Amino acid sequence: MAIKIALAGNPNSGKTTLFNVLTGSNQFVGNWPGVTVEKKEGRLKGYKDVTIIDLPGIYSLSPYSLEEIISRNYLLEEKPDVILNIIDGTNLERNLFLTTQLLDMGIPVVAAVNMIDVVEKAGDVINLEEMTKALGCKVLAVSALKGRGVREAAETAVRASVQAAGNIPCVFSAPVERALDKITALLGDRVPQTQGRFCALKVFERDAKFAEKISLPGAEALIQEAENARGDDAETIITEERYHYITGILPKLLKKKPRGTLSPSDKIDRVVTNRFAALPIFAVVIFLVYFISVTTVGTWVTDWTNDGLFGEGWHLTGGGAFVEAMEAFEAGGLAEEPAPEDFGLWAPGIPVVVGGWLEAAGTADWLNGLILDGIIAGVGAVLGFVPQMLVLFIFLAALEACGYMARIAFILDRIFRRFGLSGRSFIPMLISTGCGIPGVMASRTIENEHDRRMTVMTATFMPCGAKLPIIALISGAVLGGTWWVAPSAYFLGVFSVILSGIILKKTKIFAGDPSPFVMELPAYHLPTVTNILRSMGERVWSFIRKAGTVILVSAVIIWFLSSFGFTGDGFGMVEDLNQGLLAALGGAVAWIFTPLGFGTWDATVATITGLVAKENVVGTMGVLYGYAETAEDGAEFWDAFAANFTVISAYAFLAFNLLCAPCFAAIGAIKREMNNAKWTWFALAYQTAYAYVAALVIYQLGTFFSGGGFGAGTVFGFAAVALLAYLLVRKPAGKTKPAETSRRAAV
Ligand code: GDP
Ligand code: MG
């Protein structure tokens, strides 16, 4: 018999961690019926027909958020056989609030007190027997992270699924219980018998979503009777009595070790979320992450892939001797340039090896070109940046896992609430740093329609993983690996999200109070190596997969269009790429980018192919600048590329490509989330216009202030700044009032 286990618990209680442990890799992700919120299902490892469903994280079963509605509809309609309730043991009081509600559902409940490792480390003791008694359901201690007790919890749930739900604890006062009994009787067989109590509670609370389905006119008098007896409104009575019950049993359940008032996490937060220090710390952290991954450590490794693997090759031994000989040669002490093969063990790079094969096979010129200058050049140029991406993703995964990312949303919320921006909009922004698609999708949880649309429009300003090669290329090739380039790409993204947010909020279409934002800051903890590696592995793997598919096909097309054209003898391969079809196509629209400093056909083509996938910007440049052919080492491709740009035009090129309309996949996500063609086009037009203005300002003002003279472009540059400044400070069209940020979850 198939068994369904529903995992329910507060956000951050460890559900996903537990889910991953229990299901291993047997999981399928889909959407909840009717709503586009992610649904995760998986098979319990070791069992044929036990399915586990990871419900959205919720604080209660009231109808106040999409997550809550989804969870309770699932529990009521799909009737899982058992609920495995994950309780964050470090936060019993808040977590038990949900538990008391789950117990009312008429479904067997097994409670797993998670984070037991943290509880024990703090020296606290949770009395599981007392808890079993107080709740009337099985209670176990687990640590999802360490894998402790996890198996037992699942097995207990499987066993509980065939038993009847336990006895419901007496949570409510006599007047309320009386009313509930009578309402249950009134409901009769209009609801399944096991759900009688839960439905009666919802009727009692005057739950609007519930009233849509079942109206029970006779109940109102009963509710009012209880309200009069308790002197409050029905919903408040229920909430208060639940809390009253929990605070009553808590001393028996939890023996806290006496300690100072501040936990280590609170102490860290005192500094990290400090009113004055928070932003500088945020800036330093991000600076270090990008500086280290793109500029220092990343570059060392990337040199190895760019010069070695996808270049001429590299020394396994004797590299030092070769460098010395090279230096001697350059200083004029050697007559002949030393050949790297003569110094120790030499491993040839992929282009050299493949070039050798092709030569031996005597393939046609065009085929050699296609393979070496098209495929290897384009795909290799992109894959060469994998090491930098690895390092960056390790950092980002660590920051997220340790709990710092959550703080950033909190800090930004506190500052920008005044301007009508909510921390809810910053979370998609943080997610977009990995990939814009989940970033855009994360906007789903924002209920305020204006804020949600605005967030969808701005989330992709952040530099996602695919934009990293562009950043690294510009930083390495044109700007000589200058320290500020890579971090500035991140800050440009954050700045654009905030600036756009403020500007858009002042328009009539987006006006309104900022969405409420309540978040529980998870306690800091050391991330585990496996978790970080898993998250990094997923991202890097999807990048490599893309290089083998989309980027590869694009490289072939770019190679074909650029190497063929109409010459004196008709259509055929051209000597000079400037005579190719692509040069003609790109050249026809390149003027659009002239005011931005990069109105060349190749930069134009690269930008346009970036719409297919942002990696293509680098892949295209790889093909056009003969990455494989000239690449004695990657540096030649870099030099050839750099010759087309000045420092300022390169940065403008970077800015435009980071900010303009995202790749097709992300555009697809925007379209799904907007669910409206007009809004989708509006979003794309806004992004591209914003990118254009930003790149214009960078190029024109940069040129002017570096002594490049004054021209018509300069006037437009300054006009754009003035326009942005006006949009930024003008009076809002609608009213927005600042609201307080709350750090605790509202229940
Ligand atoms: P969800 O929001 O309920 O899905 O929670 P997650 O599974 O994402 O977990 C939230 C955080 O708590 C993650 O950083 C986990 O690594 C961490 N975590 C989960 N379970 C445990 C545990 O048993 N012990 C410790 N120390 N951390 C845990
Ligand atoms: Mg989760």
Side-chain angles (χ1 to χ4, degrees):
M1 193 189 70
I3 294 175
K4 280 187 288 185
I5 303 181
L7 272 190
N10 284 188
N12 272 314
S13 56
K15 275 184 305 93
T16 303
T17 312
L18 184 70
F19 178 82
N20 287 341
V21 178
L22 290 179
T23 59
S25 51
N26 317 312
Q27 36 185 291
F28 14 100
V29 179
N31 277 327
W32 295 98
V35 270
T36 43
V37 169
E38 193 173 83
K39 174 182 191 174
K40 261 192 171 177
E41 265 183 52
R43 251 196 1 240
L44 176 60
K45 262 197 290 191
Y47 287 80
K48 257 218 191 66
D49 44 11
V50 179
T51 313
I52 303 186
I53 298 97
D54 188 13
L55 293 180
I58 46 173
Y59 294 111
S60 89
L61 291 173
S62 55
Y64 294 124
S65 75
L66 195 53
E67 287 89 345
E68 290 169 351
I69 295 169
I70 291 174
S71 297
R72 78 180 207 187
N73 284 352
Y74 180 85
L75 295 175
L76 286 177
E77 284 154 23
E78 302 292 319
K79 304 196 191 66
D81 301 289
V82 55
I83 299 173
L84 183 53
N85 173 212
I86 315 299
I87 295 174
D88 176 354
T90 63
N91 221 325
L92 272 189
E93 187 176 357
R94 171 165 60 73
N95 279 254
L96 285 175
F97 184 72
L98 176 66
T99 309
T100 61
Q101 298 182 58
L102 293 173
L103 291 170
D104 289 327
M105 305 278 313
I107 299 172
V109 175
V110 170
V113 180
N114 191 28
M115 315 256 181
I116 197 71
D117 54 317
V118 185
V119 174
E120 284 171 358
K121 201 156 173 211
D124 298 342
V125 178
I126 294 178
N127 189 330
L128 299 175
E129 273 151 43
E130 283 295 338
M131 202 153 153
T132 306
K133 258 192 249 160
L135 299 177
C137 68
K138 268 255 166 247
V139 184
L140 299 95
V142 301
S143 167
L145 194 68
K146 308 253 172 334
R148 260 178 60 190
V150 166
R151 206 63 217 163
E152 290 83 334
E155 279 159 10
T156 309
V158 171
R159 260 178 274 129
S161 70
V162 292
Q163 294 158 1
N167 290 331
I168 295 168
C170 292
V171 173
F172 303 113
S173 61
V176 175
E177 286 290 353
R178 257 199 311 277
L180 289 177
D181 282 345
K182 286 185 188 154
I183 296 174
T184 314
L186 274 184
L187 280 166
D189 49 12
R190 293 176 63 181
V191 296
Q193 206 208 334
T194 48
Q195 295 176 0
R197 184 175 171 87
F198 181 78
C199 296
L201 265 162
K202 291 297 133 185
V203 172
F204 186 81
E205 288 177 309
R206 299 198 186 88
D207 182 304
K209 271 273 173 330
F210 200 79
E212 285 168 13
K213 284 188 232 148
I214 293 182
S215 81
L216 208 59
E220 190 51 37
L222 297 169
I223 302 171
Q224 280 173 13
E225 195 182 316
E227 283 178 328
N228 292 337
R230 299 278 288 103
D232 218 330
D233 74 284
E235 205 184 340
T236 315
I237 296 173
I238 295 291
T239 307
E240 278 189 349
E241 293 193 355
R242 281 192 202 281
Y243 268 121
H244 182 77
Y245 177 75
I246 294 167
T247 33
I249 60 173
L250 205 59
K252 276 188 281 179
L253 309 187
L254 177 70
K255 293 272 171 292
K256 265 189 175 297
K257 184 180 157 189
R259 63 175 87 102
T261 43
L262 285 182
S263 70
S265 246
D266 287 334
K267 278 187 209 146
I268 300 176
D269 269 341
R270 264 206 177 165
V271 180
V272 165
T273 63
N274 176 286
R275 220 155 263 281
F276 304 102
L279 271 194
I281 291 176
F282 168 49
V284 169
V285 168
I286 292 299
F287 171 79
L288 285 177
V289 165
Y290 276 81
F291 178 69
I292 295 174
S293 30
V294 180
T295 312
T296 60
V297 179
T299 315
W300 302 333
V301 201
T302 300
D303 282 348
W304 186 85
T305 45
N306 272 341
D307 304 352
L309 194 58
F310 297 108
E312 199 184 12
W314 67 95
H315 279 280
L316 296 176
T317 64
F322 171 66
V323 170
E324 272 172 32
M326 227 20 218
E327 278 166 6
F329 168 71
E330 271 158 18
L334 280 179
E336 217 166 292
E337 183 172 345
E341 298 90 304
D342 300 338
F343 293 80
L345 223 53
W346 173 258
I350 291 177
V352 178
V353 175
V354 176
W357 292 344
L358 294 175
E359 203 170 308
T363 45
D365 272 356
W366 69 267
L367 188 57
N368 290 350
L370 170 64
I371 294 176
L372 289 175
D373 307 340
I375 295 174
I376 295 183
V379 175
V382 172
L383 285 184
F385 293 104
V386 164
Q388 271 157 325
M389 189 161 304
L390 268 163
V391 181
L392 177 69
F393 282 153
I394 289 180
F395 275 120
L396 292 179
L399 280 185
E400 197 180 328
C402 79
Y404 183 68
M405 282 298 185
R407 266 78 187 175
I408 299 179
F410 174 73
I411 295 165
L412 293 179
D413 178 80
R414 201 175 50 197
I415 298 174
F416 291 101
R417 184 151 288 269
R418 260 168 283 176
F419 301 98
L421 304 184
S422 152
R424 283 210 165 228
S425 303
F426 293 122
I427 292 177
M429 171 189 107
L430 296 172
I431 295 176
S432 291
T433 314
C435 172
I437 298 164
V440 167
M441 283 180 3
S443 64
R444 283 171 190 174
T445 55
I446 304 175
E447 265 162 279
N448 178 328
E449 199 58 12
H450 296 167
D451 283 8
R452 198 177 62 82
R453 289 215 178 98
M454 189 182 82
T455 308
V456 170
M457 284 172 62
T458 54
T460 55
F461 282 151
M462 298 304 291
C464 66
K467 291 172 184 169
L468 185 79
I470 315 179
I471 301 169
L473 177 68
I474 300 276
S475 151
V478 190
L479 303 170
T482 319
W483 56 270
W484 55 266
V485 179
S488 77
Y490 184 92
F491 292 117
L492 180 65
V494 178
F495 174 79
S496 301
V497 171
I498 292 173
L499 184 76
S500 297
I502 298 176
I503 287 178
L504 292 173
K505 264 287 182 185
K506 295 203 174 185
T507 62
K508 264 222 189 69
I509 331 174
F510 291 100
D513 292 339
S515 301
F517 179 58
V518 280
M519 84 181 294
E520 181 81 21
L521 295 178
Y524 286 102
H525 53 94
L526 279 180
T528 59
V529 177
T530 35
N531 274 349
I532 291 186
L533 290 185
R534 179 183 292 145
S535 129
M536 181 211 70
E538 261 170 33
R539 285 166 163 177
V540 171
W541 177 237
S542 84
F543 180 82
I544 293 177
R545 221 175 24 220
K546 218 155 98 196
T549 51
V550 181
I551 313 296
L552 186 129
V553 172
S554 306
V556 169
I557 295 173
I558 293 294
W559 175 81
F560 175 78
L561 288 177
S562 62
S563 333
F564 284 81
F566 293 97
T567 58
D569 339 319
F571 187 75
M573 253 180 118
V574 292
E575 295 268 295
D576 178 356
L577 296 189
N578 285 316
Q579 296 160 351
L581 281 178
L582 201 60
L585 292 173
V589 287
W591 55 270
I592 296 175
F593 298 113
T594 307
L596 314 187
F598 55 93
T600 56
W601 70 265
D602 35 11
T604 306
V605 167
T607 302
I608 294 170
T609 56
L611 290 176
V612 175
K614 289 288 163 182
E615 294 94 331
N616 262 341
V617 175
V618 169
T620 300
M621 288 300 190
V623 176
L624 296 182
Y625 292 108
Y627 179 83
E629 204 177 42
T630 56
E632 302 256 307
D633 57 13
E636 291 209 11
F637 153 50
W638 286 18
D639 292 342
F641 171 76
N644 265 285
F645 288 98
T646 64
V647 168
I648 296 164
S649 72
Y651 199 83
F653 177 71
L654 175 65
F656 186 82
N657 276 291
L658 293 186
L659 301 172
C660 72
C663 66
F664 285 146
I667 293 177
I670 293 178
K671 181 164 162 280
R672 277 196 304 278
E673 296 310 318
M674 290 295 195
N675 205 2
N676 172 317
K678 247 203 257 158
W679 270 105
T680 309
W681 283 111
F682 179 63
L684 298 179
Y686 176 78
Q687 290 159 349
T688 310
Y690 177 85
Y692 196 89
V693 171
L696 180 81
V697 169
I698 290 171
Y699 179 67
Q700 294 297 347
L701 268 54
T703 311
F704 176 71
F705 286 113
S706 60
F710 193 89
T714 326
V715 177
F716 281 112
F718 277 106
V721 174
L723 176 69
L724 285 179
Y726 164 72
L727 291 175
L728 197 58
V729 299
R730 78 193 175 117
K731 271 227 167 62
K735 64 169 183 11
T736 49
K737 66 168 190 290
E740 263 308 300
T741 304
S742 157
R743 195 187 145 153
R744 284 210 63 101
V747 267

